[in-house]
Every structure is written in C-alpha cells, then in structure tokens.
Amino acid sequence: MKGRAVKLREAHKSSSPALCSAAWGPGGQHVVTASAADTAVLIHDAAALLAGGRGSGLAPLTMIRLHKDGVTALAIAPGAGGSLASGSIDHSVKFFTFPEGKFQSNVARFTLPIRSLAFNKKGTLLAAAGDDDGIKLIATIDNTISKVLKGHKGSVTGLAFDPKNDYLASVDSFGTVMYWDLCIGGEARTLSRVAPTFRSDNSVRNMLCWSPDGQTLAVPGLRNNVVLYDRDTGEEVSTLKGDHEQPVCSLCWSPNGRYLATAGLDRQVLVWDVKSRQDIERQKFDERICSLAWKPDGNSLLLIDVMGRFGIWESVIPSTMKSPTEGIPDLNSTKVSLFDDDDDDDEKPCTSGGLEDDIDESLSDSAPLSHKRLKRKSTFDGYSEDEDLIHQLDSSKRMKDKHKDKKKDTEKANNDSATSGRLVTARMQAAFQPGSTLPQFGMRNFLAYNMLGSITTIENEGHSHVEVDFHDTGRGPRVPSMTDYFGFTMAALNESGSVFANPCKGDKNMSTLMYRPFDSWAGNSEWSMRFEGEEVKAVALGAGWVAAVTNLNFVRIFTEGGLQMHILSVSGPVVTAAGHGDQLAIVSHASDCLPSGDQVLDVKVFNISERAQSLSGRLLLTPSSQLSWFGFSENGQLSSYDSKGTLRVFSSQFGGSWLPLFSSVKARKSDDESHWVVGLDANNIFCILCKHPQSYPQVMPKPVLTIFELSFPIASSDLGANSLENEFMMRKLHLSQIQNKMDEMAALGLDTTAYEDEAFNMEAGLDRCILRLISSCCSGDKLVRATELAKLLTLEKSMKGALTLVTRLKLPMLQEKFSSILEERMLNDRKVAGAVGFCSNATIKRLTTYETPPSKLVQNGNNLLGSPSPIPKPGNHESSLTEPKKPEAEQARGNNTLKASPSPAFTPLAKVSKNSETKRDKIGASNATVVDQNKKGGMDQNGARKMSTEDCNRTELQRPVNPFAKSSSSKEQSPSLLDSIKKMNVETEKVEKPNSKKVKV
C-alpha cells in the first residue's frame, strides 16, 4: 500500500545540490534544518509545519547565523534542556541552547571542514569528525576534548553512538566502518570497504545508525542494499535488498527498531520491515533525499533533499501493521541493574558508563576498568551523573597520580573476570582467508593470491565470473574460467588444484565447499560438499588433501578425490588456515581478548600423512594488533604478519620461538605506504605496495610485487656494523634450519648429501661474515667481542685466517687467545677422529678446505678483503706416515728422527717451551732459518704425497711443532692426510704436486 505523496517546502536556497541536514527535537515538537549552501541553522515548529499543509510561507521559529560558511552537520542532545550542536565548512563546532537557539560557546576548532556530529545517549559526550585526521570526543560539561580517536584513512562522514554507551561507530568516505570501544577509548573492530564511496560528490555522504536496542548496526551496502551487522561480533546478520537502483546514502530506525527507512541516490525512500526483510512503503522524489530522521515518539518521518527542501511524511507505517512506537526498548532497567552489587557482572558488562565516565582513566595509562567500578557515587553520596563526570574529568586532568593510585586500589578489589562477556568478545578478530580481498561492487577482487598465482572473481547479474591465473604462465596449466552460482568468497591455490567456499546466505543457501583439480587422469574429477547448519570460515590445500574449518570449530579433511578422511576439532573460533605439503596450520582464538584488546590466538600444525600434531602453541602478535596474513614460506617455515607490520617466522630455537624478520614500518618510504604480504622464501618477503587510502591491491592494473630482504630488528651497534650483525644472525638461522632438516631426514633414513653440501656452504658464508665482524671489532677496540666471535668460527681455515689478521694488526693479546682457541679445536678434532677411526663424506668436505692456505686478510674499514698470501702452517718436514709411531716424550726431546707432521685436523698443537725451541734450533739450522723467515711473514708449501688406505685409518699420529709459539714457526706444511682421503674418495688419479722449492740453509 503506497501512502500519500509527500510534498516538500523550501527551507534553504541553493543553486546546486548541497549536503543538507534535518533533525527532530527531543520531544518531537521542533525540527532543525541546515544546508552546506547556507550559513543559517533553522529551528521550525513541527506542529505548524503539519498544520500548514502544503504551504511554503511558514517562517521558522529561530534563525541562527553565526557560522561563516555552510553548515554540514547537526546534532541535538537528548532530554529536556539539551543543546544544539552545529558543524560547518568553516572548521568550527558551536553550541546553542535548544529550542531558543542562543549561542553558548565554540566547542572545538578543526583545521578542515566538519562532516558529522553525534551526541551520546545522555548528551554528556559529543563526537565530531570530518576531513581532519581523527574523531574528537568532547565532554559537554566543560567543552574539553577528552580523546581523539585515530584510524580512518578518509573523511569521516557518519557517526553513531551505541544506545548502551559501549561503542561509537564511524564510517568514512572510503566505505570503512570502525567500532570504537568507549570503555577503553580505542579501536575495537574495523570493517574495511563495506559501504559505498562518495569521494567527489559532497552533496551526499555515508551514514550509519544503531538499532534502538543497540544490538544491530545498519550500514549502506555495496549492492544498493543495507547490511545489518551484529553488535558483538561485527559479522553480517542480514541484508535488506529491494528496489533501490543506486546506493543508499541515508537511513534511520523507527523508535521500536522494527522498521528502517532508507534513502538512495535513485531519489527513492523505502521503508522496510526488518523482520521480514521486505520494503512495505516507498516514495519517489524530484531530488535526492540526503537526510532522514524518524520522530522519536510518532509515526512520522522527516526528510530533506539536496536542494534544501524538507517535509514530514506522516503515517509512514500503515495502521494495519504494528505501530513504530509500540514496544520501544527500555535501556534504563539494564543500566540500573549494573549498579547493584548482587547482579552478575559477567552477564551484564559495561553498558551504561561509557566513555564519558571512564575515558580519562584510560588516558592516565591505567589498567582497563571492571564493571563494578562503574557504580556511580550518586547511588551513595547523592552526586548527580553530571557532577560525577565533572569530578572524574578534574581528577584525571589535575590529579592524575592520586587518581591512578585510587583506581589501582579499586581494581585490586575487583577481579579481572568482570571484563568478560560482550565487552571483550566484541574485539575478537573475525575469520579471514590469507590472500583474499574484500569485495567491491562492480569491481573484480581476489579470492586468493600467493606466490604461485591468483584467483579473481567479479559479480555479474546474480552470478560471478571466476578466473585462475599463474604468475609464470609457462609453469602452471591453463585453467578455464568458471561461472560461480554459489557466491564464493574464499579460495586456496596450489600446483594441483584450487578449492572454493562460500558462507551461508540465509536459511536455504547452505555453505558450499568445491575442489577443482588442474589436471586429472579421470573425467569429472571436480567435487563439492554442502554443509547444513554449518558455515565454512577458512580453507587450505596441501599435497593430496583439502581442508575446511567451520564455525562449529570442526576441521574437515578430504582427499583430492573428495573422500572424507578426518574430522577434527579445534579449541576456539577459527581465525585462518594455511597448507603446505603435508602440513596444515590452523589459527584459532584461545580465549576472549585481553582487557588491553590484544588477541589471544593459538596455532596448531598437523601432519596429514602421519596423522600427527607437530606444533601446538600460542601465536604471537604485536600488542594491539590483529593477524593480517598467515602461511608457509617456500621452504616450509610457518610465518605470520600482523596489522602493525611485523613478520614473524617460527623456529625450533629455544624450544620453539617466533622470530621477527621484517618490519613494514621500517621499510616504508612514507607514512601513506602499507605492505600487503603475498609470501616469502628463505631470504626475502614478497609484498604488494599499497598507497593510502588503499590497504589492499586492486586486480586491475595487475599488482607489482615488491621484494624486501628479511632482517632482524637489530639494535644500533657501537661498531656501526648493523648490516654485518644482521647477516650474521640470518646465516645462523638458515644454518640451524638446514641442520634441523638434515636431522629429520637422517631419522627417516634418507640421503642427506645435498643438505650436507648446502650446510657446508652456509658454514663457509657464516665464517666469512664472522671474519668481517672480527675486523670491525679490532678496529673498534672490542677485543672481548672479537674473541667471542672467533669461538664461533666453524672451519679451521677461517680460524687461521682470523689468527693471521690479528697478527698483521699487531694485537699480541688476541693472537695468544686465537692460538689457544685453535689448539683446543684441533685437540677436540683429534679426539673425535680417534673415537671414530674413519672420516665421513661430510667431514672430508669440511676439513679438506684446510689444505690450501687462506687468502691474505687486509683490513679495509669494516670489510675484510682477500688476496692470495701464504700463512703459517704447522711443520716444515716431509710426512712419513708409514713410520712407526714414536713416543710423545721422545718427540718432545727433539729427536732428530722426527719427520712427520700430520694434518692439523687430527693433531693438537701444544705450546713449546723456550728450552725445547733452543734444542730444536741446535738439531738443525733449517728450523732456525724457518723461524727467521716466518717472522718476516714468508712461507713456502711442500708437495703432497699419495696416501695408502692404511694411512687413512691411522689415528695415532706424531705430535707436531707448534707454529704459533712465540719463537718457533714454520713455512712448510707436510702433505695433508685429508687431501689424500679426498682424492681417493672422488677416485681421481691425479695427485697435486706441491712446490718443490726449499729454503736454503
């Protein structure tokens, strides 16, 4: 049934469309209008307007002209004797008495135009926002700014206080909705890009509105509809979609919350029965209606269009239907019960105090408030609510320390359990799919995006068009596009296939899971599953399996062919899931959020083929952040990325730790940049760079990957060698990962040769880094640190290089320390070799590097450059491994039959006394000559001898001459045992011949 057409009368003259506002007075006796094309605020008599019929000559009761530019926002405080607030393009917010219209004060001054104003339920707090950065919360008692809420990227065009004073909802010009928790004065939830965008058209704006019971938030949707979101979870409750042909720009609830009026850009106003989700009345106007307001205690609707003409739609709801004023929610009973000591705080959390009572306590760096502490002094001391607010404002601003101490004592008496319930649950992060983006009406969005490729979708007349693309077109198969009739909102992709899922949409449309293999030997290999009374929240793919996690906390695992293999349970609501090979990782809520708003998340990793759980623990996030991306690196390392821009990789070090390896804040070139993570490998993270106001990539144009090197958040070192220290830590991490992989493969009896080569190369690279750090320490006179680094060297060749470095730098103390370290290392190697009696391939590869002298190490700033140069080597006599072993005591006496000097890998070096050196000098002049030449830095190399198999197994070798003793050194080295082992191992016949040059005596 269509009601009588509403005729509008002119209130504000305008030559072009402009944003206009209209509002009812508290008792419904007055109407206030304003226009962005007029500096006046008009207060009208509602009864006179209704009695005047269609006449247009009725003058307003009051005309206020104190703004210097157009008025863009109005708000009237509830209750008798409330204030009228107006915001303008002139950057000011002013207070007036109502309905007299007398000027009271300038409330706040902004740097840019005001776009939206809103009073809370009691009128003690005003929220003001616009083009400025931040929403200002103003205490109306003394007109002071209590808090500035920052988080929106665009102009804030709509504000609405929760009727229970727990939340403030806001929406910006980019369609992002944010919940602000008034009990802690911070962000509770963000719904990105859920509303239309009106960037260039200032005659309309995004609006939102809470239902009278405070349980539902109505927001204009992206499909010419209205979406209703749940107060506690932020999830979509239902959708009102009817005959609007263009986006909705204004809406308002009836007093009892049963009906909702919406105005769209198509110049229509529709009235909805929310329960049945049907539009029951509609009107079409000549211009767009940009503001709606339902009479607080009647069946009338106030409207104003973009040309400044307004009117009252009477009898909006037909008499045959329930009256819009019948069954108005009574929130007072809930508020009073909160002040009763006997009431259950868990069942009735913070609903009445709101920010006007508690915001300044949070500003004084205090802990979150408990519900019992919200009991007002008026209950006992006779204070009014306004007097109590003044008391709290003064105490927090002028006596913070005293107030903090008092508050701590109060909190100590109350249990933290009082912060449970809705207050905390409202901040729990909703489930998301890694690599997906939010849908935008008329635009293509990503269902999945990873290192392999992407899956995109776009809606088109009741169905969607889905495409699968690979980054490397030569690597992946060509996958035909798909017509989607289910409305898939999440997907996962790997080399074998893709999986899709959609949420429930009403009672008849069940959640569906579909798998499409890319290549199958059988026809019709695609399959799907439907879940009755269950909704898929996240999907994942692996090697031969498909997984879906649902709202019942079920983990359903299927084979590639669709066989239902396992059904597991997780401990809390799922946040996200990811797969890699045999591993399935699931993140879920471990409990309600902490009072500070921090998420409490658990992560579990399952090995599907072994039916085992390989990891169970807490997922760590940056304080006050949420999980933004989750998955595996290309080498299978579990990784997470939070909304504060920190990437963490899980490591088995310290019994399992999350290591921070990337910071988006440090990588940004400007504040308007953000990084949308795609994936990572062993050394780099792959992101898509997004510029403000975009927080995620668009499908077109095709996103460009930006690559950043992984790095630890190194503290600024006193050496000025941050890059070297970061390289040192990264190489240690990679070496640890390789060694863990080798251990796993060895336990399974698999060949680890490839990983042994990789581990050796990593050890060599780590040693090179350590040598450069030692050089920096020597330059900075950090000798203790240089010694610590020397102990970390893996290869003996590197240790000798470090010894050569400190010798050339003339650091005798370090030379002595390094000599001791090398001797101890060689002694340990001999013990190991004696116990084993043979050499493994990996040991051979590691130790044969000692046979060639290291490069000459030249200090150049913080770098260590290499140039060929000989270094001291133990022994200058020919090796004679076939001789019988001589007692060590006989060797120490300088027996002139001593001719063998075994490989330093198996022979410890002992310090030689001066007496021994003297005796050794008397035995032959060759030693003395060697010592003299070694002091000058000169050395020669002896030729290598071919060793027999018996020589390889000989473990008890003769004691060598110590080349690092102060008065004795050697230029020549006997043939290396390891050199011969290596040559026999690779079955080469050619034997390297050393230089035959000998020192003349």
Side-chain angles (χ1 to χ4, degrees):
M1 173 180 177
K2 186 176 179 180
R4 183 167 54 92
V6 180
K7 298 298 181 180
L8 306 181
R9 53 173 56 85
E10 184 180 276
H12 304 272
K13 293 183 179 180
S14 178
S15 59
S16 60
L19 180 64
C20 298
S21 306
W24 288 94
Q29 300 176 356
H30 300 89
V31 169
V32 185
T33 60
S35 172
D38 189 1
T39 60
V41 177
L42 305 182
I43 301 176
H44 309 268
D45 185 343
L49 289 173
L50 295 174
R54 301 183 183 182
S56 59
L58 293 176
L61 290 177
T62 305
M63 180 181 296
I64 306 171
R65 289 189 180 274
L66 291 179
H67 283 288
K68 297 179 181 179
D69 211 330
V71 179
T72 53
L74 292 174
I76 303 175
S83 298
L84 167 65
S86 61
S88 171
I89 300 175
D90 64 9
H91 312 168
S92 68
V93 176
K94 300 180 183 295
F95 271 174
F96 306 93
T97 60
F98 187 82
E100 296 82 7
K102 294 181 180 180
F103 175 75
Q104 288 182 321
S105 64
N106 286 310
V107 181
R109 188 123 188 117
F110 288 66
T111 58
L112 294 172
I114 311 299
R115 300 295 178 189
S116 183
L117 298 172
F119 278 103
N120 68 346
K121 189 70 174 177
K122 287 178 279 188
T124 54
L125 198 67
L126 175 71
D131 297 344
D132 270 21
D133 181 21
I135 304 169
K136 293 183 179 179
L137 300 179
I138 304 161
T140 59
I141 300 300
D142 54 3
N143 296 343
T144 58
I145 298 176
S146 299
K147 183 74 172 177
V148 179
L149 306 176
K150 294 186 178 182
H152 280 288
K153 303 299 183 182
S155 300
V156 178
T157 60
L159 294 168
F161 277 98
D162 161 28
K164 298 182 179 181
N165 280 345
D166 284 346
Y167 301 106
L168 170 68
S170 57
V171 61
D172 60 28
S173 56
F174 296 109
T176 296
V177 174
M178 299 185 72
Y179 287 50
W180 304 94
D181 191 323
L182 299 180
C183 289
I184 65 172
E187 176 187 346
R189 177 170 290 103
T190 299
L191 308 176
S192 299
R193 316 294 174 132
V194 298
T197 57
F198 304 116
R199 303 183 185 178
S200 58
D201 190 354
N202 290 326
S203 64
V204 291
R205 61 186 177 190
N206 272 329
M207 298 289 290
L208 40 68
C209 190
W210 288 97
S211 60
D213 61 1
Q215 296 301 318
T216 307
L217 180 67
V219 181
L222 298 172
R223 303 178 180 179
N224 307 334
N225 57 355
V226 177
V227 182
L228 305 182
Y229 294 96
D230 182 78
R231 160 200 179 82
D232 296 336
T233 64
E235 295 182 352
E236 180 179 326
V237 176
S238 62
T239 301
L240 305 179
K241 184 169 178 62
D243 290 342
H244 275 301
E245 299 172 359
Q246 295 185 46
V248 174
C249 59
S250 184
L251 44 78
C252 65
W253 291 88
S254 65
N256 62 357
R258 183 181 178 92
Y259 307 103
L260 183 72
T262 60
L265 298 184
D266 56 0
R267 298 178 295 170
Q268 287 192 98
V269 174
L270 272 61
V271 180
W272 303 82
D273 185 328
V274 177
K275 186 175 182 179
S276 64
R277 289 183 286 184
Q278 299 291 328
D279 56 298
I280 56 176
E281 287 289 338
R282 72 186 65 185
Q283 289 278 353
K284 183 99 175 188
F285 295 88
D286 296 333
E287 298 290 346
R288 290 173 295 177
I289 301 298
C290 56
S291 182
L292 295 172
W294 210 297
K295 189 175 182 180
D297 57 355
N299 188 14
S300 301
L301 193 64
L302 176 64
L303 317 93
I304 189 168
D305 64 16
V306 293
M307 303 305 294
R309 297 185 302 171
F310 78 112
I312 298 176
W313 182 356
E314 295 184 88
S315 302
V316 180
I317 305 302
S319 58
T320 57
M321 302 184 68
K322 185 177 181 179
S323 170
T325 59
E326 181 181 344
I328 297 177
D330 184 11
L331 302 178
N332 292 327
S333 59
T334 303
K335 292 194 296 183
V336 171
S337 64
L338 286 173
F339 305 146
D340 188 353
D341 285 333
D342 296 332
D343 287 342
D344 186 358
D345 292 327
D346 289 333
E347 294 179 355
K348 297 170 182 174
C350 173
T351 57
S352 64
L355 186 63
E356 70 276 11
D357 295 313
D358 306 312
I359 186 64
D360 287 294
E361 295 182 2
S362 65
L363 289 176
S364 60
D365 298 330
S366 62
L369 305 173
S370 63
H371 302 307
K372 291 183 179 179
R373 207 160 45 79
L374 297 176
K375 301 177 178 68
R376 304 186 186 278
K377 292 183 179 180
S378 58
T379 310
F380 307 100
D381 301 331
Y383 278 64
S384 67
E385 292 181 355
D386 291 343
E387 289 172 338
D388 185 45
L389 179 61
I390 295 174
H391 170 74
Q392 295 192 34
L393 288 171
D394 292 341
S395 62
S396 62
K397 293 179 180 178
R398 300 182 179 91
M399 296 181 297
K400 287 185 178 180
D401 294 338
K402 180 178 178 181
H403 185 77
K404 189 185 299 185
D405 294 339
K406 183 178 179 180
K407 185 172 68 58
K408 286 181 179 178
D409 293 338
T410 308
E411 287 179 344
K412 192 172 182 180
N414 293 300
N415 197 308
D416 288 341
S417 63
T419 58
S420 61
R422 243 184 322 106
L423 174 65
V424 177
T425 305
R427 296 191 296 271
M428 291 175 64
Q429 180 177 357
F432 73 95
Q433 184 70 28
S436 65
T437 60
L438 295 173
Q440 297 186 45
F441 180 70
M443 299 179 64
R444 186 174 290 276
N445 68 282
F446 289 109
L447 294 180
Y449 195 110
N450 58 23
M451 299 288 287
L452 179 65
S454 65
I455 302 177
T456 59
T457 183
I458 185 172
E459 185 179 4
N460 182 21
E461 297 181 356
H463 63 274
S464 297
H465 185 72
V466 177
E467 293 183 355
V468 179
D469 296 303
F470 293 92
H471 303 317
D472 186 355
T473 55
R475 176 183 175 186
R478 184 175 179 85
V479 181
S481 59
M482 177 181 70
T483 301
D484 168 27
Y485 294 98
F486 297 98
F488 294 130
T489 59
M490 66 194 83
L493 170 72
N494 68 3
E495 295 84 353
S496 302
S498 55
V499 60
F500 303 84
N502 68 306
C504 298
K505 294 183 179 179
D507 299 333
K508 296 182 180 180
N509 191 351
M510 293 184 291
S511 186
T512 302
L513 179 75
M514 175 184 288
Y515 176 72
R516 297 183 71 199
F518 294 144
D519 189 15
S520 177
W521 59 270
N524 194 24
S525 55
E526 177 183 306
W527 54 266
S528 62
M529 301 283 173
R530 304 190 71 182
F531 306 101
E532 186 174 355
E534 194 173 356
E535 184 176 35
V536 177
K537 292 295 184 179
V539 294
L541 279 177
W545 54 266
V546 179
V549 192
T550 71
N551 62 332
L552 299 183
N553 302 341
F554 289 166
V555 181
R556 296 182 176 270
I557 301 173
F558 307 85
T559 64
E560 279 189 333
L563 178 64
Q564 302 186 47
M565 287 292 292
H566 310 288
I567 302 178
L568 312 176
S569 295
V570 290
S571 57
V574 65
V575 178
T576 190
H580 180 274
D582 282 339
Q583 299 182 90
L584 167 63
I586 299 173
V587 179
S588 60
H589 287 283
S591 68
D592 291 335
C593 298
L594 299 178
S596 60
D598 294 341
Q599 305 291 322
V600 184
L601 305 180
D602 268 350
V603 58
K604 295 183 184 298
V605 179
F606 301 98
N607 190 303
I608 304 300
S609 61
E610 297 180 3
R611 301 181 184 181
Q613 182 173 298
S614 57
L615 173 65
S616 178
R618 196 58 51 86
L619 179 66
L620 303 184
L621 300 175
T622 305
S624 303
S625 69
Q626 293 187 338
L627 186 62
S628 298
W629 177 87
F630 182 76
F632 291 89
S633 66
E634 288 195 336
N635 58 351
Q637 294 296 313
L638 191 63
S639 310
S640 69
Y641 182 78
D642 60 41
S643 58
K644 295 292 185 180
T646 300
L647 174 80
R648 290 177 174 85
V649 174
F650 184 79
S651 170
S652 59
Q653 299 180 12
F654 297 97
S657 305
W658 289 93
L659 309 181
L661 293 183
F662 174 75
S663 173
S664 174
V665 176
K666 293 183 179 180
R668 293 173 189 164
K669 296 180 179 179
S670 60
D671 293 338
D672 62 346
E673 286 185 358
S674 61
H675 299 95
W676 194 77
V677 175
V678 174
L680 64 153
D681 59 16
N683 301 302
N684 304 294
I685 180 174
F686 299 83
C687 309
I688 296 175
L689 187 63
C690 299
K691 291 281 188 178
H692 174 76
Q694 295 290 339
S695 58
Y696 52 85
Q698 305 294 321
V699 176
M700 298 298 296
K702 189 174 181 179
V704 178
L705 285 180
T706 303
I707 304 175
F708 295 97
E709 287 188 359
L710 298 176
S711 62
F712 284 92
I714 300 294
S716 297
S717 172
D718 52 3
L719 291 177
N722 290 357
S723 60
L724 278 178
E725 291 180 326
N726 179 75
E727 180 185 351
F728 165 69
M729 294 188 66
M730 289 299 300
R731 288 186 179 275
K732 280 203 312 175
L733 173 63
H734 294 158
L735 181 60
S736 173
Q737 293 172 350
I738 295 171
Q739 291 171 343
N740 289 339
K741 189 67 176 177
M742 291 173 61
D743 293 341
E744 293 175 2
M745 295 183 66
L748 297 174
L750 302 177
D751 183 20
T752 61
T753 303
Y755 285 101
E756 289 172 354
D757 295 339
E758 186 178 354
F760 174 75
N761 293 333
M762 187 59 64
E763 287 176 350
L766 178 61
D767 279 6
R768 288 193 294 269
C769 179
I770 294 176
L771 287 173
R772 295 197 298 271
L773 279 173
I774 292 175
S775 175
S776 298
C777 291
C778 293
S779 300
D781 198 25
K782 305 295 182 184
L783 304 188
V784 175
R785 197 178 306 173
T787 307
E788 293 171 343
L789 287 166
K791 293 178 181 179
L792 298 176
L793 289 168
T794 306
L795 306 178
E796 185 176 345
K797 176 182 177 181
S798 304
M799 188 66 233
K800 292 180 179 179
L803 184 60
T804 303
L805 170 66
V806 297
T807 303
R808 296 188 183 280
L809 292 177
K810 298 180 179 180
L811 298 172
M813 295 180 64
L814 275 187
Q815 184 180 358
E816 187 71 20
K817 289 283 187 182
F818 285 15
S819 296
S820 300
I821 295 172
L822 182 57
E823 291 173 18
E824 182 180 356
R825 181 81 53 83
M826 296 175 71
L827 178 61
N828 292 334
D829 288 344
R830 183 187 180 189
K831 291 179 179 178
V832 173
V836 176
F838 65 91
C839 302
S840 66
N841 290 339
T843 307
I844 293 170
K845 291 175 183 176
R846 182 171 73 88
L847 299 179
T848 48
T849 56
Y850 310 152
E851 59 190 342
T852 59
S855 299
K856 180 180 180 182
L857 301 171
V858 183
Q859 184 183 2
N860 181 13
N862 291 334
N863 296 324
L864 212 58
L865 305 178
S867 61
S869 176
I871 64 168
K873 286 208 169 189
N876 65 327
H877 303 289
E878 289 186 356
S879 175
S880 181
L881 298 180
T882 57
E883 296 182 21
K885 182 179 179 298
K886 303 292 184 181
E888 292 186 2
E890 184 179 349
Q891 297 177 36
R893 288 195 300 268
N895 192 332
N896 54 9
T897 61
L898 177 63
K899 295 182 180 180
S901 179
S903 170
F906 296 125
T907 309
L909 292 175
K911 292 185 178 180
V912 182
S913 65
K914 292 184 178 180
N915 293 334
S916 298
E917 293 168 5
T918 305
K919 291 180 180 179
R920 194 171 284 112
D921 291 340
K922 292 179 179 179
I923 291 174
S926 61
N927 281 350
T929 306
V930 170
V931 171
D932 291 338
Q933 300 222 358
N934 192 35
K935 290 180 180 179
K936 298 177 183 179
M939 283 173 277
D940 288 330
Q941 298 180 12
N942 284 339
R945 291 185 58 218
K946 194 170 184 179
M947 304 298 171
S948 65
T949 306
E950 295 179 0
D951 296 332
C952 297
N953 294 330
R954 186 181 301 275
T955 59
E956 297 184 6
L957 303 174
Q958 295 176 345
R959 187 182 187 88
V961 177
N962 185 355
F964 306 109
K966 293 183 178 179
S967 61
S968 176
S969 184
S970 175
K971 294 189 306 179
E972 300 179 3
Q973 182 179 7
S974 60
S976 172
L977 170 66
L978 299 172
D979 184 38
S980 299
I981 296 175
K982 179 181 178 183
K983 290 173 175 49
M984 287 188 297
N985 203 40
V986 297
E987 298 181 357
T988 59
E989 297 180 355
K990 185 176 180 180
V991 179
E992 295 183 3
K993 298 295 183 182
N995 294 330
S996 59
K997 187 183 296 184
K998 298 202 175 185
V999 180
K1000 293 182 179 181
V1001 181

